[in-house]
Amino acid sequence: MANNSYSGVKNSMVEANHDGEFGCTLNELRALMELRGAEAIVKIGESYEDIKGLCNRLKTSPIDGLSGQPGDIEKRKTVFGQNLIPPKKPKTFLQLVWEALQDVTLIILEVAAIVSLGLSFYRPPDAERTHCGRAAGGVEDETESEAGWIEGAAILLSVVCVVLVTAFNDWSKEKQFRGLQSRIEQEQKFTVVRGGQVIQIPVAEIVVGDVAQIKYGDLLPADGVLIQSNDLKIDESSLTGESDHVKKTQEKDPMLLSGTHVMEGSGKMLVTAVGVNSQTGIIFTLLGTSEDDEEDEEEKKKEKEEKKKQRKSVNCQVVSFNNLFLFFVAAKAQDGAAMEMQPLNSDEAEAEEKKKSSMSKKEKSVLQGKLTKLAVQIGKAGLVMSAITVIILVVLFVVDTFCIQGLPWVKECTPIYIQFFVKFFIIGVTVLVVAVPEGLPLAVTISLAYSVKKMMKDNNLVRHLDACETMGNATAICSDKTGTLTMNRMTVVQAFIAEKHYKKVPEPENIPSSILDMLILGIAVNCAYTTKIMPPEKEGGLPRQVGNKTECSLLGFSNDLKRDYQAIRNEIPEEKLYKVYTFNSVRKSMSTVLKMADGSYRMFSKGASEILLKKCYKILTANGESKVFRPRDRDDMVKKVIEPMASEGLRTICLAYRDFPVSEGEPDWDNENDILSGLTCLCVVGIEDPVRPEVPDAIRKCQRAGITVRMVTGDNINTARAIATKCGILLPGDDFLCIEGKEFNRRIRNEKGEIEQERIDKIWPKLRVLARSSPTDKHTLVKGIIDSTVLEKRQVVAVTGDGTNDGPALKKADVGFAMGIAGTDVAKEASDIILTDDNFSSIVKAVMWGRNVYDSISKFLQFQLTVNVVAVIVAFTGACITQDSPLKAVQMLWVNLIMDTFASLALATEPPTEALLLRKPYGRNKPLISRTMMKNILGQGVFQLITIFTLLFAGEKFFDIDSGRNAPLHAPPSEHYTIVFNTFVLMQLFNEINARKIHGERNVFEGIFNNLIFCSIVFGTFIIQFVIVQFGGKPFSCVALTIDQWLWCTFLGFGSLLWGQVISSIPTSRLKFLKTAGHGTQKEEIPDEELDELSDNDEIDHAERELRRGQILWFRGLNRIQTQMDVVSAFQSGTSFQGALRRQASNSSQQQHDVTNTFFFLFSSVLLTSSSHLTLTLVLSHFSPNTPPPLLTLFSF
């Protein structure tokens, strides 16, 4: 078994050398796969005679493959390794706990709690407490004062709870990601021949010696040597950086490498290296992706710097650091063995690496960007509030003790005073803890992870998390026709054979036998041998279609004509085909050449009827003879046969042939234009692909939801128009465009042939069907719609694709959907979501889930911000007036746990409803907090504050209990403050139900029982709150309440629901003062320098930007303070200010700043940094007494 590390790979080689089971060792095969082209052929000839010799050594058959016996497969895995690249080890739970502990506010709390804990054990010797002021005295019971340690311990315990919950959330999130990744890997299957049978096996099960069938669109899963090929072209750019497609043949270059893409053709290969021994595996091992990624980070940073410098130097060949690094390690690894591995292009390497690790990395998301920005803003406000709280508490205490009471500072009282200051500090920190909404990122994660899991059931396999959210904003969908809108079960229903148009499949006796024999031969050999018709799985069911569905329809046509295509294939195996021109988007046809017994050649072709008929100059008549086929006859046939078929929604395919007599000698097979001309038309068939029954309804839902659906297809315009009408994309009487690719290109290009955005803008708003389009047209259309500024909202475009050439369009789209069944590996690799059932209605479900994610986050925000506002104001005001926070530190942490973790779980897991499709898309610039939500937040905030303050200042009279205000240090908990805390929590619980609706709906209970998580969390929170109040005691600063008191608390809490109804009755439009909040960072808001830094990335990670911005400003501030120092010294020496700046600019690449800019930035960076006082003093101390007054004024500001 191949080990995880590089040394493990070397060890397994050594073992293989002593293993005499196979005729070649792991070492030999690795050395072979490092050769290219002619060298490889020479090596194969010298060592194994030919490919068959290599097959014999590996105990496999080039035709029947491996036997497939479990013992043999296991032995091969042991000797040559498994086809797996070991993943990076997941973080352990303890590592995640450690990461959670890095939270700054939690660290501050821990320190404060430990100090509080230490001081609580201190007893002042002989000093009378009364000497230390009013607040320190008043505790008669000695046991109460001894219980002072409980608060510190309770805070530490709460911190442990918060940390464990956070770590568990991260752990489960990572587990889900890994589950998703393994699901994607399990989905990947590859076709191999075992025991003479063509079967599909998971990629991980491929072993050395397997004979794999490769075809257009495959991503090669292992290294191998070509056994047989048809027009095979490979894109090796992921390994070599060369963008040109490499033609592969047995004679010139038979080496195939893992990780490369098949762009054209088909063939068979003998697998020679798998997993860590394949070329991709070696590179991954060398780059250390399966081990110490941290060490590579520094290398990558240096490499990026290196690249930037190199880009600036003109006409300098860029030699990437990565290449040198690879060569060096490779040379060391091979211990001097000749290694001619082509270097990995650094950009591609990074891209490839990013692709592999994209699942474990944090996903980039516009929504997360908006949330992080909002969280940072709220956090800053909370920081200010907490600082003011601490300052006011300390000032009030000092004034009261030393001024009003007039006590001196007694040495023995110092620990008691410090205890007070620590208590004030803890209150300040808890205000900060409640104010910082760390639950926001958690809510996004939970919501997205929950949605992704549920979307799998709706046949959406999400590869990139942010695609789920982006889909909710989609305004346009460009969909393929075949398989997505239609059933992709094709059958021939009409045919034009021997000058007669049959409206249904003809009886074989009605067709001349010579034409029939030729037709069946052409269908059998000129369809990919991987395409076949299999018997139905259930009795009475339809036969199973395997492979290309258009070809399946032709093979089915052959069966309908009572002929067996398989008998012909057995007689003429794939190896005997002389030459194959495979189908691609340029040819729009496929041709196969057979060498006849007399030495002549016959070529069979099939393709789009209007394209192939132009290349036909003869047609077979009713008696089996051929006659001349003139352009006039062709036009006649288009009008009478092809257009009527197309108008019924049928796809028309022409089948033709051409003979190359011996007398003309061997043709030049590379001259395709000559070869593919002078054809004789055999027949034209009309293929039906019925519209999926659920599609018209799904398209209606899209249109109602404000999403425009466009069909982009390679089919004939009449077929496309007929299908679009059946689907409801085109409606009778609508003024919409339906054009072909050629016409589209003519309209969007200027005289020089360049594409102009203004021209595209005239077309796309009305365009509904683009027929006969190439993948380039699809990409152009998608790019044109995304870049357009014609409409007020920027369009968010989703695209479906299945072919290899759809890759660019899928990448360009905001969300790319690949087909899980018909899609090629290349398309899946480029996509964001894979449709496992290839069905358009699954896209509508994705829209629903995307909108649901957005709404779930808004619901959570509405709830959290209400709690934030109320808790911070209560703690702040209460502290200022009563010298103590009504909500204690531990209580605040419990509230924080309710509103962050539990509420994000409850509100972020609301299931979607059809109602989400009744509104227009939000658009990417929509604020997270709408005016309606702001009305709800402020309205509920006012109600809760009035209730809490009434209870705080008049509650003791109402309930006839002792007042809890102005209690001394270590005083026992009071009923008064317990009622305040209990009412506060219950109001939050009932408000959580209010938060379920964000668009001003009245019925907040609608569908509440559909979300069991929500119900159980609300109920569970209530139970825990009951336990805390009744049995929490000193640690939670609570006293058990009576039934009456509980009923009053519950009634006041329930008031939130009633008040919610009052708020929803007030029209939002009347409240002009309401503002929206939570806008994303627009590109134009990002400073130019920062954009330059971000230009290397494909996307701007808004979330990371917001988090890093503080650090960036700090470092940049330091850099610029350096500039300021020069400015200051320039003032001291009397030189000009601008001169100093100019000198500084010449020494560094920093931009020049004028006087005001420089000082303004210095001032703002001083405010931003924690050591602002020091910096300010440092700078001011450099000024000489004769500094100009305006500058000093600026600083004193």
Side-chain angles (χ1 to χ4, degrees), residues 303 305-314 316-321:
E303 188 187 319
E305 290 303 312
E306 199 74 21
K307 269 197 238 167
K308 278 182 185 172
K309 285 177 193 169
Q310 285 171 350
R311 276 182 203 145
K312 285 173 188 171
S313 60
V314 188
C316 165
Q317 190 186 7
V318 177
V319 181
S320 106
F321 177 80

PDB file of all heavy atoms in Angstrom, residues 303 305-314 316-321:
ATOM      1  N   GLU A 303       7.437  33.636  -3.481  1.00  0.00           N
ATOM      2  CA  GLU A 303       7.281  33.366  -4.908  1.00  0.00           C
ATOM      3  C   GLU A 303       6.448  34.454  -5.584  1.00  0.00           C
ATOM      4  O   GLU A 303       6.767  34.920  -6.668  1.00  0.00           O
ATOM      5  CB  GLU A 303       6.554  32.024  -5.011  1.00  0.00           C
ATOM      6  CG  GLU A 303       6.459  31.461  -6.384  1.00  0.00           C
ATOM      7  CD  GLU A 303       5.565  30.236  -6.366  1.00  0.00           C
ATOM      8  OE1 GLU A 303       5.665  29.437  -5.422  1.00  0.00           O
ATOM      9  OE2 GLU A 303       4.788  30.117  -7.307  1.00  0.00           O
ATOM     10  N   GLU A 305       6.076  37.575  -4.594  1.00  0.00           N
ATOM     11  CA  GLU A 305       6.896  38.790  -4.679  1.00  0.00           C
ATOM     12  C   GLU A 305       7.826  38.690  -5.880  1.00  0.00           C
ATOM     13  O   GLU A 305       7.966  39.614  -6.671  1.00  0.00           O
ATOM     14  CB  GLU A 305       7.728  38.965  -3.388  1.00  0.00           C
ATOM     15  CG  GLU A 305       6.892  39.332  -2.178  1.00  0.00           C
ATOM     16  CD  GLU A 305       6.086  40.603  -2.420  1.00  0.00           C
ATOM     17  OE1 GLU A 305       6.666  41.605  -2.892  1.00  0.00           O
ATOM     18  OE2 GLU A 305       4.863  40.589  -2.178  1.00  0.00           O
ATOM     19  N   GLU A 306       8.447  37.493  -5.989  1.00  0.00           N
ATOM     20  CA  GLU A 306       9.398  37.239  -7.081  1.00  0.00           C
ATOM     21  C   GLU A 306       8.704  37.472  -8.413  1.00  0.00           C
ATOM     22  O   GLU A 306       9.202  38.141  -9.297  1.00  0.00           O
ATOM     23  CB  GLU A 306       9.845  35.772  -6.976  1.00  0.00           C
ATOM     24  CG  GLU A 306      11.137  35.443  -7.713  1.00  0.00           C
ATOM     25  CD  GLU A 306      12.351  35.989  -6.969  1.00  0.00           C
ATOM     26  OE1 GLU A 306      12.272  36.260  -5.760  1.00  0.00           O
ATOM     27  OE2 GLU A 306      13.362  36.193  -7.636  1.00  0.00           O
ATOM     28  N   LYS A 307       7.477  36.920  -8.523  1.00  0.00           N
ATOM     29  CA  LYS A 307       6.731  37.010  -9.780  1.00  0.00           C
ATOM     30  C   LYS A 307       6.431  38.447 -10.136  1.00  0.00           C
ATOM     31  O   LYS A 307       6.545  38.867 -11.277  1.00  0.00           O
ATOM     32  CB  LYS A 307       5.406  36.239  -9.652  1.00  0.00           C
ATOM     33  CG  LYS A 307       5.527  34.804 -10.078  1.00  0.00           C
ATOM     34  CD  LYS A 307       4.137  34.261 -10.316  1.00  0.00           C
ATOM     35  CE  LYS A 307       3.912  33.070  -9.420  1.00  0.00           C
ATOM     36  NZ  LYS A 307       2.554  32.677  -9.345  1.00  0.00           N
ATOM     37  N   LYS A 308       6.033  39.243  -9.096  1.00  0.00           N
ATOM     38  CA  LYS A 308       5.697  40.643  -9.359  1.00  0.00           C
ATOM     39  C   LYS A 308       6.893  41.382  -9.922  1.00  0.00           C
ATOM     40  O   LYS A 308       6.788  42.159 -10.863  1.00  0.00           O
ATOM     41  CB  LYS A 308       5.217  41.309  -8.067  1.00  0.00           C
ATOM     42  CG  LYS A 308       3.758  41.014  -7.778  1.00  0.00           C
ATOM     43  CD  LYS A 308       3.302  41.724  -6.534  1.00  0.00           C
ATOM     44  CE  LYS A 308       1.870  41.322  -6.203  1.00  0.00           C
ATOM     45  NZ  LYS A 308       1.450  41.832  -4.930  1.00  0.00           N
ATOM     46  N   LYS A 309       8.080  41.122  -9.315  1.00  0.00           N
ATOM     47  CA  LYS A 309       9.291  41.796  -9.792  1.00  0.00           C
ATOM     48  C   LYS A 309       9.575  41.380 -11.228  1.00  0.00           C
ATOM     49  O   LYS A 309       9.911  42.186 -12.074  1.00  0.00           O
ATOM     50  CB  LYS A 309      10.485  41.411  -8.910  1.00  0.00           C
ATOM     51  CG  LYS A 309      10.465  42.097  -7.547  1.00  0.00           C
ATOM     52  CD  LYS A 309      11.630  41.602  -6.705  1.00  0.00           C
ATOM     53  CE  LYS A 309      11.451  42.019  -5.253  1.00  0.00           C
ATOM     54  NZ  LYS A 309      12.407  41.348  -4.376  1.00  0.00           N
ATOM     55  N   GLN A 310       9.431  40.066 -11.499  1.00  0.00           N
ATOM     56  CA  GLN A 310       9.758  39.558 -12.830  1.00  0.00           C
ATOM     57  C   GLN A 310       8.819  40.128 -13.889  1.00  0.00           C
ATOM     58  O   GLN A 310       9.227  40.410 -14.995  1.00  0.00           O
ATOM     59  CB  GLN A 310       9.656  38.037 -12.826  1.00  0.00           C
ATOM     60  CG  GLN A 310      10.846  37.396 -12.125  1.00  0.00           C
ATOM     61  CD  GLN A 310      10.639  35.905 -11.933  1.00  0.00           C
ATOM     62  OE1 GLN A 310       9.542  35.414 -12.159  1.00  0.00           O
ATOM     63  NE2 GLN A 310      11.669  35.213 -11.514  1.00  0.00           N
ATOM     64  N   ARG A 311       7.541  40.301 -13.511  1.00  0.00           N
ATOM     65  CA  ARG A 311       6.578  40.828 -14.477  1.00  0.00           C
ATOM     66  C   ARG A 311       6.984  42.227 -14.926  1.00  0.00           C
ATOM     67  O   ARG A 311       6.741  42.625 -16.054  1.00  0.00           O
ATOM     68  CB  ARG A 311       5.186  40.881 -13.846  1.00  0.00           C
ATOM     69  CG  ARG A 311       4.455  39.555 -13.941  1.00  0.00           C
ATOM     70  CD  ARG A 311       3.073  39.677 -13.355  1.00  0.00           C
ATOM     71  NE  ARG A 311       2.588  38.361 -12.957  1.00  0.00           N
ATOM     72  CZ  ARG A 311       1.836  38.152 -11.902  1.00  0.00           C
ATOM     73  NH1 ARG A 311       1.492  39.146 -11.128  1.00  0.00           N
ATOM     74  NH2 ARG A 311       1.419  36.950 -11.594  1.00  0.00           N
ATOM     75  N   LYS A 312       7.571  42.982 -13.982  1.00  0.00           N
ATOM     76  CA  LYS A 312       7.909  44.365 -14.302  1.00  0.00           C
ATOM     77  C   LYS A 312       9.081  44.438 -15.277  1.00  0.00           C
ATOM     78  O   LYS A 312       9.216  45.382 -16.029  1.00  0.00           O
ATOM     79  CB  LYS A 312       8.230  45.129 -13.017  1.00  0.00           C
ATOM     80  CG  LYS A 312       6.970  45.453 -12.230  1.00  0.00           C
ATOM     81  CD  LYS A 312       7.287  46.058 -10.891  1.00  0.00           C
ATOM     82  CE  LYS A 312       6.025  46.180 -10.058  1.00  0.00           C
ATOM     83  NZ  LYS A 312       6.283  46.558  -8.697  1.00  0.00           N
ATOM     84  N   SER A 313      10.003  43.459 -15.212  1.00  0.00           N
ATOM     85  CA  SER A 313      11.167  43.532 -16.108  1.00  0.00           C
ATOM     86  C   SER A 313      10.737  43.147 -17.522  1.00  0.00           C
ATOM     87  O   SER A 313      10.079  42.141 -17.737  1.00  0.00           O
ATOM     88  CB  SER A 313      12.261  42.597 -15.624  1.00  0.00           C
ATOM     89  OG  SER A 313      11.776  41.297 -15.605  1.00  0.00           O
ATOM     90  N   VAL A 314      11.113  43.985 -18.518  1.00  0.00           N
ATOM     91  CA  VAL A 314      10.640  43.783 -19.887  1.00  0.00           C
ATOM     92  C   VAL A 314      11.539  42.770 -20.596  1.00  0.00           C
ATOM     93  O   VAL A 314      12.740  42.713 -20.362  1.00  0.00           O
ATOM     94  CB  VAL A 314      10.662  45.129 -20.655  1.00  0.00           C
ATOM     95  CG1 VAL A 314      10.008  44.993 -22.008  1.00  0.00           C
ATOM     96  CG2 VAL A 314       9.957  46.185 -19.845  1.00  0.00           C
ATOM     97  N   CYS A 316      12.054  39.763 -20.266  1.00  0.00           N
ATOM     98  CA  CYS A 316      12.833  38.868 -19.415  1.00  0.00           C
ATOM     99  C   CYS A 316      12.066  37.565 -19.309  1.00  0.00           C
ATOM    100  O   CYS A 316      10.887  37.576 -19.015  1.00  0.00           O
ATOM    101  CB  CYS A 316      13.010  39.497 -18.041  1.00  0.00           C
ATOM    102  SG  CYS A 316      13.561  38.340 -16.809  1.00  0.00           S
ATOM    103  N   GLN A 317      12.737  36.476 -19.586  1.00  0.00           N
ATOM    104  CA  GLN A 317      12.029  35.201 -19.538  1.00  0.00           C
ATOM    105  C   GLN A 317      11.677  34.885 -18.098  1.00  0.00           C
ATOM    106  O   GLN A 317      12.537  34.900 -17.227  1.00  0.00           O
ATOM    107  CB  GLN A 317      12.920  34.102 -20.118  1.00  0.00           C
ATOM    108  CG  GLN A 317      12.137  32.814 -20.300  1.00  0.00           C
ATOM    109  CD  GLN A 317      13.055  31.682 -20.742  1.00  0.00           C
ATOM    110  OE1 GLN A 317      14.247  31.871 -20.774  1.00  0.00           O
ATOM    111  NE2 GLN A 317      12.489  30.547 -21.064  1.00  0.00           N
ATOM    112  N   VAL A 318      10.385  34.628 -17.840  1.00  0.00           N
ATOM    113  CA  VAL A 318       9.957  34.387 -16.459  1.00  0.00           C
ATOM    114  C   VAL A 318      10.265  32.940 -16.090  1.00  0.00           C
ATOM    115  O   VAL A 318       9.695  32.010 -16.630  1.00  0.00           O
ATOM    116  CB  VAL A 318       8.426  34.642 -16.323  1.00  0.00           C
ATOM    117  CG1 VAL A 318       7.973  34.316 -14.925  1.00  0.00           C
ATOM    118  CG2 VAL A 318       8.121  36.070 -16.684  1.00  0.00           C
ATOM    119  N   VAL A 319      11.207  32.788 -15.177  1.00  0.00           N
ATOM    120  CA  VAL A 319      11.497  31.451 -14.650  1.00  0.00           C
ATOM    121  C   VAL A 319      10.907  31.384 -13.259  1.00  0.00           C
ATOM    122  O   VAL A 319      11.355  32.078 -12.366  1.00  0.00           O
ATOM    123  CB  VAL A 319      13.027  31.205 -14.593  1.00  0.00           C
ATOM    124  CG1 VAL A 319      13.305  29.809 -14.055  1.00  0.00           C
ATOM    125  CG2 VAL A 319      13.633  31.391 -15.955  1.00  0.00           C
ATOM    126  N   SER A 320       9.875  30.615 -13.081  1.00  0.00           N
ATOM    127  CA  SER A 320       9.189  30.661 -11.789  1.00  0.00           C
ATOM    128  C   SER A 320       9.975  29.938 -10.716  1.00  0.00           C
ATOM    129  O   SER A 320      10.625  28.942 -10.967  1.00  0.00           O
ATOM    130  CB  SER A 320       7.800  30.054 -11.926  1.00  0.00           C
ATOM    131  OG  SER A 320       7.767  28.815 -11.331  1.00  0.00           O
ATOM    132  N   PHE A 321       9.888  30.507  -9.542  1.00  0.00           N
ATOM    133  CA  PHE A 321      10.542  29.945  -8.359  1.00  0.00           C
ATOM    134  C   PHE A 321      10.079  28.501  -8.162  1.00  0.00           C
ATOM    135  O   PHE A 321      10.852  27.629  -7.797  1.00  0.00           O
ATOM    136  CB  PHE A 321      10.139  30.809  -7.154  1.00  0.00           C
ATOM    137  CG  PHE A 321      10.675  30.324  -5.846  1.00  0.00           C
ATOM    138  CD1 PHE A 321      11.976  30.612  -5.489  1.00  0.00           C
ATOM    139  CD2 PHE A 321       9.895  29.583  -4.983  1.00  0.00           C
ATOM    140  CE1 PHE A 321      12.468  30.168  -4.275  1.00  0.00           C
ATOM    141  CE2 PHE A 321      10.392  29.133  -3.788  1.00  0.00           C
ATOM    142  CZ  PHE A 321      11.682  29.428  -3.427  1.00  0.00           C
TER     143      PHE A 321
END
